[in-house]
């Protein structure tokens, strides 16, 4: 590994701009970006190329649960790499991967005991969708293929996963398998009709699902896929009881329920999985990734219920093969990291810690709603969003919203906090080891950043709602 001095970073920046195509790369600015380099990390902090120490508000990309610089997980990976760095999951197996599958199955709800390892969240969702298609083919139901999702949902960037994602601004220039998908309206209570109660909004959202199934035909609808909290769409928390009611609709019409726990799994809401413990549902399939290894190495999983496996196995299999898989399925180094991650989270009481500090986190989040620039605050566990609204009557609201988000982000980074700006939304999901003092520090910086942005906008003549 090269060690670079600060003076060398312009060369590295040239490499970054000239050779590294980043996710969601804006083509207008490709080759001209001034991204921050994060070159070190310790606990909840990252260290930049200039030596700045910043609170990592998004925990990387919702994933660094146990924090940076954990030597135990690094040593477990190194030990596994020396003993057996790779095995072919097509021809062989490995005890570390088998143990991980067993440990995951012990922590999943209901009968979700079959673990298919993937390379990340997108491939976990792709695997879930391909399995649903495959199962219906084996059952002699080749027309039962439509997957229902929601506006603002995000399920990944592989072809099928992107096709069931509902963030409209991600779809403008990209193709999707639109013939396989149907999208329901936004489930965010913040955008409900004026005067509509949350209870009535809940009824409307549940009716959205059942009406869609009836309109399309239950014989054609294969699955409903839903995040417990729609995280990348802006940390949208559906009304209480929404998921349970939707599961009941799915059961009524023989539609499978896929719970996308790529973000909410592995402690983000204070439990291994949020589906049953938080939202009172036992889905048919759970997808997971991100916090599975605390971001130390890529890995994901599609976890399938015994009921689904049993329905197409043995004498009912028609000798079919589920021909889906990856070179790195169950990679032993990733599996070693995941096992050590589980051990650390349990030994150090991290799930309990999340449940203990979450009420304070949620209270500080809610208090930001009193600021003039803030339209809505929402979140649960250790994930939150502050949605800011300046002049809703401006000629180009989208441009203004992007400006507002960028200004808050810049003020916060200058004060020592990284956020994830999604247009006008400040999204954060800090490492699960964050202390109460650090939570207060994070929210103090965020509040100051919003106040400074408000002052900047007023000076520019922008109307604050």
């Amino acid at each position: 590994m090269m060690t670079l001095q600060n003076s060398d970073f312009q060369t590295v920046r040239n490499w970054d701009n000239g050779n590294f195509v980043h996710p969601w790369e804006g083509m207008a600015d490709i080759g001209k970006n001034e991204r921050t380099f994060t070159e070190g990390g310790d606990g909840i902090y990252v260290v930049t190329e200039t030596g700045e120490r910043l609170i990592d508000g998004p925990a990387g990309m919702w994933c660094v649960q146990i924090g940076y610089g954990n030597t135990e997980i690094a040593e477990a990976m190194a030990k596994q790499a020396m003993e057996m760095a790779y095995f072919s999951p097509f021809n062989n197996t490995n005890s570390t991967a088998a143990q991980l599958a067993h440990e995951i199955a012990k922590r999943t709800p209901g009968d979700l005991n079959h673990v298919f390892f993937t390379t990340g969240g997108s491939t976990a969702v792709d695997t879930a969708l391909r399995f649903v298609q495959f199962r219906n083919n084996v059952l002699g139901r080749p027309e039962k293929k439509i997957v229902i999702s929601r506006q603002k949902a995000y399920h990944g960037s592989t072809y099928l996963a992107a096709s069931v994602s509902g963030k409209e601004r991600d779809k403008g220039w990209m193709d999707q398998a639109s013939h396989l998908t149907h999208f329901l309206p936004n489930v965010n209570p913040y955008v409900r009709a004026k005067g509509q109660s949350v209870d009535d909004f809940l009824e409307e959202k549940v009716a959205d699902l059942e009406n869609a199934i009836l309109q399309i035909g239950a014989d054609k609808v294969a699955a409903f896929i839903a995040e417990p909290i729609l995280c990348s769409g802006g940390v949208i928390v559906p009304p209480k009881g929404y998921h349970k009611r939707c599961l009941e609709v799915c059961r009524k019409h023989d539609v499978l329920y896929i719970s996308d726990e790529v973000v909410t799994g592995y402690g983000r809401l204070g439990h291994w999985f949020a589906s049953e413990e938080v939202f009172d549902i036992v889905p048919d399939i759970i997808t997971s990734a991100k916090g599975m290894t605390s971001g130390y190495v890529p890995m994901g999983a599609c976890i399938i219920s015994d009921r689904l496996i049993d329905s197409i196995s043995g004498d009912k299999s028609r000798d079919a093969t589920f021909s889906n898989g990856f070179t790195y399925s169950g990679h032993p180094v990733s599996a070693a990291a995941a096992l050590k991650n589980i051990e650390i989270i349990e030994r150090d009481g991290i799930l309990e810690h999340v449940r203990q500090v979450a009420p304070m986190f949620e209270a500080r989040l809610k208090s930001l709603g009193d600021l003039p620039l803030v339209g809505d605050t929402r979140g649960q566990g250790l994930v939150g969003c502050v949605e800011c609204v300046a002049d809703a009557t401006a000629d180009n609201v989208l441009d203004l919203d992007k400006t507002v988000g960028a200004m808050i982000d810049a003020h916060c980074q200058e004060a020592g906090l990284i956020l994830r700006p999604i247009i006008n939304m400040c999204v954060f999901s800090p490492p699960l080891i964050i202390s109460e003092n650090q939570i207060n520090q994070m929210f103090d910086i965020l509040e100051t950043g919003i106040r400074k942005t408000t002052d900047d906008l007023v000076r520019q003549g922008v109307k604050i709602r």
Side-chain angles (χ1 to χ4, degrees):
M1 175 178 172
M2 295 184 296
T3 300
L4 301 172
Q5 303 300 317
N6 288 344
S7 59
D8 296 319
F9 265 89
Q10 188 51 54
T11 298
V12 182
R13 191 175 301 283
N14 291 340
W15 297 341
D16 184 62
N17 277 316
N19 307 119
F20 184 178
V21 180
H22 287 257
W24 269 249
E25 186 82 75
M27 292 295 103
D29 298 318
I30 191 167
K32 298 178 289 188
N33 286 291
E34 292 290 322
R35 292 184 173 91
T36 297
F37 284 81
T38 51
E39 297 293 305
D42 175 32
I44 71 163
Y45 299 94
V46 294
V47 180
T48 74
E49 76 274 23
T50 61
E52 292 177 283
R53 186 175 164 88
L54 306 173
I55 296 173
D56 185 3
M61 187 62 74
W62 326 84
C63 59
V64 189
Q65 316 294 66
I66 64 171
Y68 295 95
N70 188 290
T71 55
E72 287 185 86
I73 203 166
E75 288 167 358
M77 292 166 59
K79 182 174 182 291
Q80 181 62 52
M82 291 297 293
E83 291 178 356
M84 174 54 70
Y86 175 78
F87 75 98
S88 168
F90 294 80
N91 304 313
N92 305 112
T93 192
N94 175 266
S95 59
T96 307
Q99 183 185 354
L100 176 59
H102 177 65
E103 293 298 327
I104 291 171
K106 285 166 56 177
R107 291 162 177 81
T108 50
D111 69 338
L112 278 84
N113 295 313
H114 286 77
V115 182
F116 190 106
F117 289 117
T118 70
T119 55
S122 296
T123 48
V125 170
D126 236 53
T127 294
L129 299 176
R130 294 198 77 197
F131 178 82
V132 168
Q133 294 173 339
F134 166 76
R135 176 174 176 269
N136 280 329
N137 289 340
V138 175
L139 292 174
R141 308 187 301 193
E143 301 301 316
K144 196 173 174 66
K145 294 290 171 64
I146 302 295
V147 177
I148 296 176
S149 182
R150 282 271 179 197
Q151 290 179 8
K152 305 299 181 185
Y154 178 74
H155 297 292
S157 62
T158 52
Y159 192 65
L160 278 177
S163 294
V164 297
S165 294
K167 293 175 66 180
E168 61 276 6
R169 292 191 181 102
D170 291 346
K171 292 177 173 286
W173 301 95
M174 304 293 283
D175 293 342
Q176 298 93 33
S178 55
H179 64 292
L180 295 175
T181 60
H182 179 87
F183 290 95
L184 306 177
N186 198 337
V187 74
N188 188 354
Y190 177 55
V191 301
R192 69 186 186 275
K194 187 176 181 180
Q196 185 181 34
S197 69
V198 174
D199 287 343
D200 286 344
F201 183 72
L202 168 62
E203 296 299 325
E204 179 184 292
K205 296 304 105 180
V206 175
D208 285 343
L209 175 59
E210 185 152 34
N211 290 340
I213 294 172
L214 293 173
Q215 178 186 351
I216 298 165
D219 59 328
K220 292 183 172 59
V221 178
F224 174 56
I225 185 168
E227 302 162 89
I229 294 176
L230 289 78
C231 292
S232 291
V235 189
I236 296 169
V237 183
K240 186 175 177 61
Y242 165 78
H243 290 293
K244 188 172 184 179
R245 295 278 304 279
C246 287
L247 179 62
E248 291 168 356
V249 170
C250 289
R251 291 284 182 265
K252 177 180 175 182
H253 296 287
D254 189 25
V255 171
L256 299 183
Y257 195 107
I258 303 170
S259 185
D260 184 351
E261 291 225 42
V262 167
V263 174
T264 57
Y266 293 89
R268 181 56 52 192
L269 302 188
H271 300 276
W272 286 114
F273 296 98
S275 292
E276 183 175 32
E277 296 287 354
V278 181
F279 298 99
D280 197 24
I281 64 168
V282 177
D284 298 295
I285 297 174
I286 287 177
T287 56
S288 68
K290 294 193 185 291
M292 188 172 176
T293 65
S294 280
Y296 277 68
V297 67
M299 196 174 210
C302 170
I303 311 162
I304 305 168
S305 75
D306 295 345
R307 180 179 70 87
L308 299 190
I309 294 291
D310 291 346
S311 68
I312 55 168
S313 61
D315 292 339
K316 293 170 279 189
S317 70
R318 299 173 62 185
D319 289 329
T321 296
F322 182 46
S323 50
N324 176 81
F326 309 96
T327 300
Y328 298 117
S329 289
H331 193 282
V333 176
S334 297
L339 283 170
K340 183 58 69 172
N341 187 54
I342 290 171
E343 178 187 326
I344 291 167
I345 288 173
E346 290 195 334
R347 183 197 66 206
D348 295 351
I350 292 175
L351 299 180
E352 294 81 359
H353 171 74
V354 173
R355 297 197 294 270
Q356 180 181 350
V357 301
M360 175 192 173
F361 177 95
E362 292 167 12
R364 285 298 312 262
L365 172 64
K366 185 177 180 181
S367 71
L368 295 178
D370 296 332
L371 299 176
L373 189 59
V374 175
D376 189 36
T377 63
R378 50 188 180 263
Q380 195 168 346
L382 286 185
V383 58
C385 173
V386 178
E387 184 167 345
C388 294
V389 181
D391 184 359
T393 65
D395 291 337
N396 195 330
V397 175
L398 178 58
D399 284 349
L400 178 58
D401 283 347
K402 288 179 177 178
T403 299
V404 168
M407 290 168 71
I408 295 172
D409 183 48
H411 281 306
C412 287
Q413 183 158 332
E414 186 179 3
L417 169 66
I418 295 176
L419 292 174
R420 186 184 178 199
I422 303 177
I423 307 178
N424 61 326
M425 296 177 285
C426 307
V427 171
F428 41 99
S429 54
L432 305 186
I433 60 171
I434 192 169
S435 69
E436 289 189 347
N437 286 339
Q438 290 168 333
I439 289 172
N440 278 323
Q441 183 185 4
M442 181 177 70
F443 278 107
D444 288 346
I445 294 172
L446 178 55
E447 180 175 348
T448 299
I450 294 171
R451 290 186 184 278
K452 285 185 175 182
T453 298
T454 303
D455 293 342
D456 293 341
L457 293 170
V458 169
R459 281 192 293 269
Q460 295 172 17
V462 174
K463 182 173 68 176
I464 306 300
R465 44 172 207 102

